[in-house]
Amino acid sequence: MIDRIQDGPVIEAQGLTRIHGRGCPDCVRLTGDVHGRNVCPACGSVVAVAEVSFRLWPGEILGVMGESGSGKSSVVRLLHLDDRPSAGTVRFRESHGRAHDLASIDEAEARRLRDTRFGMVHQNPHLGLNFGVSAGGNIAERLLCCGERRFHAIREAALGLLDRTEVPRARIDHQPGQFSGGMQQRLQIARALAPNPELLLLDEVTTGLDLSVQARILDLILSIQRDLGVAMVVVTHDLGVVRLLAGRTMVLRHGRVVESGLTDQILEDPQHPYTQQLVMSAL
């Protein structure tokens, strides 16, 4: 386990913006919630997110909520270095103080951070698991990226992670395709936790699962936060998920943050009409 001695934010984003297309000087000005669109009428570019700023502290769970196309998954892609911002800065601080500007690091350093400091769990397990190798092999791939080469140590670590995520040890040599949807998500989480990451990104991880399975996955996420102290970003459109997991929440619409703050305050006394609509629709 990483000795998490960090006393500053894990992530500090300022003015985070991602534009798909050639872009123009008016893209940000002519899009957003006030205009009800994220496609620039001047040049046709898509403003996935614009001017998003937030801090994420060690051990904190930040909820990112919004409808499809709001930009919430784009934020995760930028944090995981699957995409790079068009403008703004994202600073990531490792537990012992080393800081990185994620907007400007080279691909080799980006790969190191993805492999050893970040964990990602996708809505679609096919994006987060290698279906061509066993459950244990999926975990081993992450451990190999961290430099572990001893077969026995890898096997024991994999068994420990299966225990941690409540996947039966007897299934370590089974292919992911032999698992149920809920078990595939547990295996994704085990794989993501293999390098003992400092940042865990969860993108709609309970969508499409039965309610009882969702509840067990959410309990697992809370136990990971409690026991490991890893900072998390949870992307969801489900208010119940946000209410249970997140201490703070950002609400996105048309690529902009329309409301942010303590989750209880946002859900009990929403200020923005869109947030009010989300809360009312869930009642």
Side-chain angles (χ1 to χ4, degrees):
M1 176 183 290
I2 293 173
D3 180 17
R4 305 187 195 280
I5 62 173
Q6 181 173 319
D7 58 3
V10 177
I11 290 287
E12 187 169 8
Q14 292 288 334
L16 192 58
T17 300
R18 180 64 174 107
I19 298 172
H20 297 285
R22 62 186 178 88
C24 74
D26 294 321
C27 277
V28 173
R29 183 176 64 84
L30 297 179
T31 58
D33 183 59
V34 67
H35 297 288
R37 59 176 176 247
N38 64 353
V39 177
C40 177
C43 70
S45 298
V46 176
V47 183
V49 291
E51 300 176 335
V52 172
S53 300
F54 64 92
R55 289 179 174 179
L56 176 67
W57 298 88
E60 180 182 26
I61 299 181
L62 174 68
V64 183
M65 189 171 65
E67 61 193 0
S68 178
S70 63
K72 57 188 189 297
S73 291
S74 294
V75 171
V76 168
R77 287 183 54 81
L78 292 169
L79 295 178
H80 195 241
L81 299 168
D82 296 322
D83 203 357
R84 298 297 181 97
S86 305
T89 61
V90 190
R91 292 183 64 80
F92 167 68
R93 291 181 178 87
E94 298 189 49
S95 58
H96 293 283
R98 184 181 179 190
H100 308 266
D101 180 357
L102 300 186
S104 62
I105 60 174
D106 60 32
E107 186 53 40
E109 184 66 0
R111 189 180 307 112
R112 183 189 76 82
L113 291 176
R114 280 194 298 264
D115 289 344
T116 66
R117 294 292 182 262
F118 300 162
M120 178 75 194
V121 182
H122 299 267
Q123 176 182 347
N124 183 351
H126 284 268
L127 297 176
L129 295 172
N130 182 347
F131 276 66
V133 301
S134 67
N138 269 274
I139 297 171
E141 286 180 342
R142 296 297 308 274
L143 295 171
L144 288 167
C145 289
C146 296
E148 183 58 75
R149 296 293 183 268
R150 298 167 297 162
F151 174 80
H152 178 73
I154 289 174
R155 183 86 173 180
E156 286 302 307
L159 288 168
L161 285 161
L162 294 181
D163 289 342
R164 163 81 266 181
T165 53
E166 299 178 4
V167 176
R169 283 183 162 221
R171 305 201 66 180
I172 188 171
D173 295 317
H174 289 194
Q175 302 290 112
Q178 297 175 272
F179 287 72
S180 67
M183 280 293 181
Q184 287 176 354
Q185 292 299 60
R186 289 177 180 276
L187 182 55
Q188 264 208 93
I189 294 171
R191 176 184 168 96
L193 291 176
N196 194 20
E198 297 175 52
L199 176 64
L200 188 60
L201 305 167
L202 304 140
D203 191 359
E204 299 279 13
V205 296
T206 61
T207 299
L209 300 177
D210 293 340
L211 289 177
S212 61
V213 178
Q214 287 186 30
R216 291 196 292 272
I217 294 292
L218 295 175
D219 285 343
L220 171 61
I221 292 168
L222 285 173
S223 72
I224 289 168
Q225 181 210 26
R226 180 184 65 246
D227 298 342
L228 304 182
V230 59
M232 303 186 200
V233 175
V234 175
V235 168
T236 185
H237 65 275
D238 189 329
L239 268 68
V241 172
V242 165
R243 186 185 299 275
L244 180 65
L245 296 182
R248 289 189 302 119
T249 295
M250 296 192 305
V251 182
L252 271 67
R253 192 182 192 203
H254 299 303
R256 305 301 202 280
V257 176
V258 296
E259 191 160 356
S260 66
L262 295 176
T263 300
D264 288 347
Q265 291 180 350
I266 287 178
L267 297 185
E268 296 300 329
D269 186 25
Q271 299 299 304
H272 192 276
Y274 175 64
T275 314
Q276 294 170 356
Q277 178 184 341
L278 287 177
V279 172
M280 289 296 296
S281 67
L283 296 178

